[in-house]
Amino acid sequence: MRGLLRKILGKKDRRDGKMKLDPELVGEYRGAYLARATEERFREAGQDGGTVTALLAHALEEGYIEAAVVSTTGSDPWRPRPTVATSVEELLEAAGSKYSISPNLSALETAVGSHDSVAVVGTPCQVSAVRKLESHAYGVADVAERVKLLIGLFCSENLTYKGLTELLEKEIEADLSSVERMDITAGKFTVVTSDGEERSVSVSELRRYANEACGFCTDLTAEDADVSVGSTGAPDGWNVVLVRTGRGERILQSAVDAEVLEVRDVDEGDPATLERLASDKRERAESARCAVWRPYPTSP
Amino acid sequence: MRVALLSLMSCGSCAENLEIVCQSEGHELVWSSLRDDGEVPDVDVLFVDGAVDFADADARERLERAVSSADVVVSLGSCAATGGFERHAIGMREPARYHFTVFPAAKFADTDYAIIGCPPTEDAIASFLEALEEGDDDRLEPYRVLSGDFHGLDPNLPSPVRGPEATVEDVLLTSNKDLCLGCDLDVVERELFCTGCGACAASCPAWAIEIDEKPEIREDRCIRCGTCFATCPRSFRA
Ligand SMILES: Cc1cc2nc3c(=O)[nH]c(=O)nc-3n(C[C@H](O)[C@H](O)[C@H](O)COP(=O)(O)OP(=O)(O)OC[C@H]3O[C@@H](n4cnc5c(N)ncnc54)[C@H](O)[C@@H]3O)c2cc1C
Ligand code: SF4
């Protein structure tokens, strides 16, 4: 395994003299891979390959971090709740994507206040917000020093909880409490209910139920993260991983060396689809901007 | 750098953080009104912390004299920049009302930069001083804009704001500066721009922000310090 990563890491990330994925579309990166957890329990609990949860568990066990800001499920079905996980059990409990807004950074002050080294998982906007907290530390101390690993999820848009409920009622005719699994893949939002039935709608339908603010977002792949993880462009049960910084590279390398993650060349997946989605998101933001062109604010 | 501090009506936390930063980062706090008398000596930068009661002629005069002798003047913390705690929670009463004779120091003196925060973290002060020492105008820009005298601003914008990446000047113009740097109890426009990241709730020193998906501000706790607004990733770009 060590040999394989070295082979992949060592190989120049170029295809016909070009980067495998266009940095104009997915941001700067040092390496792009397919990855998944080797252990069944992470793949089972995780949304796709369980890469995020396995990587965090490894970082925790190796002492890179003492805690991780993640999103677990709150009181209502599928309602996300930001939390600070300090054990592998808590990480497993928080695994899996919840498709509504989870203000993860609201747990950041508690995390950096009580731990010397933390990881943060978040959507691209949350990742950028952590970077702003590092350089503009008006209200939260020690973010730059104590956040040791910033993991970004790919994100096309997020829904409000109300929007998610309505989407299920109107488009899918399912009740949130009967939903076993939700996923966004291959341009579809797919739901598996407890009776085993699978129903889906096109992601283009999601827009109406999404957070309006996502319409301005140009960042699909969390360009400010240390490590970005998603599923678009990966085969079923795998993740696409973009490593962007030195510290991200070290942790990923360590997880691969320890056989916590298995990696493959990103070319074995479908990088072109990822590029297309990233490019679509940039264009969509441009039109959103034109659409809301309006005088602001109105006089008091 | 050679640093001086004029401390006005304040709790002292900003001054303490400045002292810590000077010690750890090798800046020299050559004069502080908390321990030195007389005039401000020749320094690279004068920090002013706290608010001023406008009936207090003595304080206003001290401020005026100190400022006139310094090349670079910085509002240190929200009391100096927005009125913050001193204006809104004076006597520990409900912040929902404000003390109408107490103003931020920046109301009475031309300041070049402001460091928002209640108190600003040591990181923020250190990073500002580093940018100042290096003369890094890009990094100084937000501090410069946040130091403006907002009270007389025309709320009608010269050009409409089109998106979250508006320049820091444009975004600031959209808010009600008499009370705060944010959007008058809305960190940023909630529906249109707020992503629901939660940074505002983490940064609020008064525990006034609750967030489930988007921030809810408890007016009875808010001290209009502007920390949430300055922290929000969509108020201006880092
Ligand atoms: C709202 C949303 C939209 C997404 N859209 C896409 C997309 O369009 N294309 C794509 O390829 N991938 C998308 N993803 C990412 C994808 O769903 C997986 O999270 C990613 O592939 C990682 O898989 P994994 O198996 O490693 O995750 P896991 O090991 O299950 O880890 C996921 C981590 O994300 C955290 N998390 C879950 N929900 C949220 C949330 N709402 N906010 C913040 N953190 C959360 C969990 O706590 C956990 O730590 C999206 C994720 C979310 C939350
Ligand atoms: S920091 Fe800004 S974008 Fe994030 S939740 Fe607060 S207001 Fe919204």
Side-chain angles (χ1 to χ4, degrees):
Chain A
M1 185 48 74
R2 188 186 286 257
L4 176 61
L5 184 71
R6 196 145 301 138
K7 217 168 81 201
I8 300 176
L9 284 177
K11 203 164 69 181
K12 272 263 176 292
D13 183 17
R14 278 164 197 282
R15 182 183 52 190
D16 310 329
K18 286 196 316 232
M19 298 287 278
K20 281 175 182 153
L21 288 155
D22 185 355
E24 289 284 315
L25 298 173
V26 300
E28 294 295 328
Y29 64 95
R30 296 168 170 231
Y33 316 99
L34 297 180
R36 69 172 185 187
T38 48
E39 267 189 73
E40 184 71 39
R41 57 176 179 155
F42 293 122
R43 291 208 303 271
E44 191 104 298
Q47 183 68 19
D48 298 299
T51 301
V52 171
T53 304
L55 191 61
L56 289 173
H58 177 70
L60 204 60
E61 284 176 338
E62 291 299 307
Y64 282 104
I65 55 164
E66 291 173 12
V69 175
V70 291
S71 174
T72 193
T73 311
S75 42
D76 306 321
W78 294 94
R79 189 190 277 280
R81 183 171 56 80
T83 185
V84 183
T86 54
S87 68
V88 176
E89 290 67 44
E90 285 170 339
L91 287 173
L92 282 166
E93 183 134 352
S97 302
K98 293 98 196 158
Y99 291 100
S100 69
I101 300 173
S102 175
N104 280 11
L105 301 199
S106 61
L108 184 61
E109 205 200 9
T110 316
V112 293
S114 30
H115 302 282
D116 285 338
S117 51
V118 304
V120 179
V121 177
T123 53
C125 56
Q126 295 175 346
V127 167
S128 301
V130 174
R131 293 294 185 209
K132 182 168 176 183
L133 282 167
E134 288 176 357
S135 58
H136 294 267
Y138 302 108
V140 192
D142 299 329
V143 174
E145 198 186 310
R146 297 192 172 176
V147 174
K148 305 283 189 197
L149 178 62
L150 192 46
I151 300 184
L153 308 172
F154 292 6
C155 179
S156 44
E157 62 232 299
N158 206 347
L159 311 182
T160 57
Y161 190 72
K162 186 161 161 275
L164 180 64
T165 316
E166 279 175 19
L167 167 77
L168 283 165
E169 269 168 21
K170 293 193 185 135
E171 313 284 341
I172 304 214
E173 290 169 18
D175 187 71
L176 259 183
S177 55
S178 70
V179 172
E180 297 269 293
R181 193 185 147 75
M182 275 185 232
D183 199 17
I184 301 182
T185 33
K188 282 198 177 122
F189 177 72
T190 308
V191 165
V192 180
T193 46
S194 47
D195 51 20
E197 214 183 308
E198 188 178 302
R199 285 173 262 194
S200 59
V201 301
S202 159
V203 286
S204 55
E205 300 295 320
L206 258 52
R207 216 52 296 264
R208 278 185 284 146
Y209 305 96
N211 180 2
E212 208 182 340
C214 296
F216 295 105
C217 179
T218 54
D219 186 357
L220 178 81
T221 57
E223 298 177 27
D224 288 335
D226 290 314
V227 179
S228 301
V229 187
S231 61
T232 306
D236 247 14
W238 286 78
N239 290 109
V240 168
V241 174
L242 299 173
V243 185
R244 304 185 188 273
T245 63
R247 65 182 189 184
E249 201 163 54
R250 278 192 294 282
I251 284 190
L252 185 77
Q253 174 82 58
S254 157
V256 174
D257 286 350
E259 301 189 13
V260 166
L261 293 179
E262 58 180 301
V263 290
R264 289 200 204 156
D265 201 293
V266 77
D267 275 347
E268 291 179 34
D270 183 5
T273 303
L274 179 55
E275 283 186 332
R276 187 161 38 79
L277 205 69
S279 153
D280 286 354
K281 192 169 180 188
R282 294 229 201 288
E283 276 165 30
R284 190 182 73 189
E286 214 23 72
S287 42
R289 210 156 296 196
C290 299
V292 300
W293 201 88
R294 60 174 171 166
Y296 171 82
T298 44
S299 293
Chain B
M1 289 203 146
R2 286 167 56 83
V3 174
L5 169 71
L6 175 66
S7 196
L8 299 161
M9 187 195 287
S10 66
C11 73
S13 308
C14 298
E16 190 184 339
N17 281 4
L18 178 67
E19 286 205 21
I20 295 172
V21 169
C22 286
Q23 269 168 21
S24 63
E25 306 296 314
H27 301 291
E28 198 187 345
L29 186 58
V30 292
W31 186 89
S32 160
S33 65
L34 295 172
R35 51 157 208 257
D36 300 310
D37 296 325
E39 299 295 310
V40 182
D42 196 21
V43 288
D44 297 316
V45 48
L46 168 72
F47 286 93
V48 175
D49 96 68
V52 177
D53 189 323
F54 105 122
D56 184 350
D58 184 47
R60 287 173 61 183
E61 200 201 309
R62 282 203 301 153
L63 175 62
E64 217 165 277
R65 269 213 322 278
V67 165
S68 67
S69 68
D71 288 338
V72 178
V73 182
V74 182
S75 302
L76 176 64
S78 293
C79 290
T82 72
F85 185 81
E86 292 295 350
R87 180 165 163 91
H88 295 283
I90 190 163
M92 305 300 283
R93 71 179 188 196
E94 281 182 12
R97 280 170 284 160
Y98 66 97
H99 197 287
F100 56 88
T101 66
V102 174
F103 290 92
K107 176 80 175 161
F108 300 109
D110 277 342
T111 52
D112 303 290
Y113 303 102
I115 310 179
I116 298 297
C118 185
T121 64
E122 290 159 32
D123 294 355
I125 300 171
S127 143
F128 168 78
L129 277 168
E130 189 185 277
L132 189 66
E133 194 159 31
E134 288 167 5
D136 186 337
D137 288 338
D138 287 344
R139 267 173 73 195
L140 288 172
E141 183 67 4
Y143 301 97
R144 188 187 69 72
V145 174
L146 290 165
S147 76
D149 176 9
F150 310 117
H151 302 277
L153 281 180
D154 179 357
N156 294 306
L157 284 181
S159 62
V161 174
R162 292 176 51 195
E165 283 117 39
T167 65
V168 56
E169 285 89 344
D170 278 356
V171 173
L172 285 173
L173 278 166
T174 63
S175 51
N176 175 358
K177 299 306 169 322
D178 192 42
L179 291 179
C180 74
L181 289 166
C183 305
D184 197 14
L185 296 178
D186 211 351
V187 182
V188 296
E189 212 198 297
R190 197 176 304 246
E191 297 310 325
L192 210 47
F193 298 152
C194 173
T195 64
C197 71
C200 48
S203 71
C204 177
W207 302 100
I209 301 185
E210 278 160 20
I211 185 162
D212 193 6
E213 290 194 328
K214 306 258 174 140
E216 296 294 335
I217 306 211
R218 285 183 51 187
E219 184 168 6
D220 60 341
R221 296 199 60 99
C222 176
I223 55 168
R224 274 72 158 181
C225 62
T227 311
C228 56
F229 176 73
T231 303
C232 175
R234 290 201 154 178
S235 59
F236 58 88
R237 288 209 149 231

